[in-house]
Amino acid sequence: MGIHFEIQQVSPRTIAVIDGQLASNASALLLDDYIVAIDATMRPDTSQTFRSMLEEKYQRPVKYLCVTHYHGDHVFGLKSFRDVTIFASAHIVGNMQRRMSTDWSPQALAARKKGDPTAAEWIDDVEFIFPSVLLHQGIDLFNKDRRVEFHHSGGHTSCSVYGYYPDEKVLFAGDLIFAGQMPFAGDVTCDPEQWMAVLRTWLNWDIVHVIPGHGPLTGMAEIRKHLDFFELLKKATLDVIQAGREPQDISMPATYAVSEKDQWLVESTQKHWYEFYNTA
């Protein structure tokens, strides 16, 4: 069954698709001659719909797609953009290959289909596409007198990338921002120090609109809130390590409410941050 969603205008030249049915947000920048898309949505069918909506509505082709990181809700839909220039962090290849031999193996995906009837509708259509342009630091794209910049930052994952369109002060944050909700900080490649560093950098930038990887459009207040959350979490983690206690003893800041079904977020974060700071 198809998913219906709408394009949301963020600024004169930037748009987003934000709908809980999509599992993650996607967005785009409308340059004069072409479109730069940022993420593709999770499902191959919704990614194809997203691309068609962009090209039909704005009457120009998608020339580039930025993949903000390797998680399935950001790469499972890449086949719909396989004919455009896909770029991402150089670290994405190793991260994807690791998952393709574990959580994304044919056996694991078959088990996912059995356990999730919704996934059974589309998961067989997933193709693992590796980006053709790999970033070690960043890249600027130009079209006439317009420029958009993309930066490899790490943080949420070792391959996290974000974009910034200075003309309209729009940040394409990817999963470095989970608007209004506890950020997932338990990935095995997550670097809390890098994540906090990029948040501090953004606080010094001229940002009006933040398009997050998850949650509604937001702004500078959410960046500050994420940084406050992480600084409190770091202190709580160091306190537990110093006291010789266990990861589950880390007191999670009450910044964001977490439902019972999302307790895995807390547990994975406690485990990873304990390991990260215990070996730092």
Side-chain angles (χ1 to χ4, degrees):
M1 188 171 78
I3 293 175
H4 176 78
F5 56 92
E6 301 288 345
I7 286 176
Q8 181 175 352
Q9 199 78 33
V10 178
S11 67
R13 286 184 176 267
T14 64
I15 67 94
V17 289
I18 297 174
D19 190 310
Q21 300 176 93
L22 296 175
S24 64
N25 299 336
S27 54
L29 173 65
L30 313 171
L31 295 176
D32 291 321
D33 299 319
Y34 59 83
I35 298 169
V36 182
I38 298 93
D39 287 325
T41 78
M42 179 168 67
R43 296 168 42 155
D45 58 341
T46 56
S47 71
Q48 182 57 58
T49 300
F50 175 49
R51 180 176 180 178
S52 297
M53 291 169 73
L54 289 174
E55 294 184 333
E56 291 171 10
K57 182 176 178 66
Y58 299 106
Q59 291 297 296
R60 66 202 83 173
V62 174
K63 186 175 181 179
Y64 297 98
L65 172 70
C66 171
V67 185
T68 60
H69 63 293
Y70 79 104
H71 287 162
D73 53 334
H74 294 259
V75 302
F76 280 1
L78 290 184
K79 67 179 287 187
S80 303
F81 292 87
R82 66 185 311 156
D83 60 324
V84 311
T85 299
I86 302 176
F87 64 92
S89 163
H91 295 280
I92 200 171
V93 175
N95 287 343
M96 288 181 65
Q97 288 174 333
R98 173 173 49 81
R99 292 295 286 275
M100 288 168 67
S101 65
T102 55
D103 298 355
W104 301 344
S105 69
Q107 297 82 0
L109 293 180
R112 180 170 175 174
K113 281 172 57 180
K114 288 183 179 179
D116 182 356
T118 302
E121 298 174 4
W122 56 268
I123 210 160
D124 286 341
D125 292 330
V126 170
E127 294 180 17
F128 294 110
I129 310 291
F130 291 105
S132 57
V133 175
L134 299 174
L135 310 181
H136 290 277
Q137 291 183 317
I139 189 172
D140 288 358
L141 301 178
F142 295 87
N143 183 220
K144 297 183 178 176
D145 61 345
R146 306 189 190 281
R147 173 180 64 88
V148 58
E149 56 193 67
F150 292 90
H151 303 263
H152 167 253
S153 66
H156 170 65
T157 68
S158 62
C159 59
S160 289
V161 170
Y162 66 89
Y164 179 61
Y165 183 48
D167 286 358
E168 296 174 5
K169 306 174 183 178
V170 178
L171 178 69
F172 303 94
D175 280 12
L176 291 160
I177 295 291
F178 284 65
Q181 55 193 283
M182 178 179 159
F184 171 52
D187 185 84
V188 294
T189 71
C190 173
D191 186 319
E193 292 296 320
Q194 287 185 342
W195 200 337
M196 287 186 280
V198 74
L199 294 172
R200 293 186 186 106
T201 296
W202 290 345
L203 289 177
N204 293 313
W205 285 14
D206 193 0
I207 296 169
V208 173
H209 306 286
V210 176
I211 303 175
H214 298 266
L217 293 175
T218 189
M220 292 291 278
E222 190 66 67
I223 296 174
R224 294 188 190 94
K225 191 173 181 180
H226 268 37
L227 181 58
D228 290 345
F229 171 79
F230 286 140
E231 288 176 339
L232 290 170
L233 178 57
K234 176 181 177 179
K235 182 181 184 305
T237 301
L238 293 175
D239 287 346
V240 163
I241 292 170
Q242 187 174 11
R245 297 163 68 192
E246 299 300 317
Q248 61 268 27
D249 296 320
I250 296 172
S251 178
M252 297 300 291
T255 313
Y256 299 99
V258 181
S259 67
E260 193 63 37
K261 71 179 181 66
D262 288 334
Q263 282 302 311
W264 67 273
L265 281 171
V266 172
E267 294 166 6
S268 63
T269 299
Q270 289 169 321
K271 179 176 183 293
H272 181 71
W273 282 54
Y274 186 95
E275 292 173 353
F276 180 88
Y277 283 107
N278 204 29
T279 58

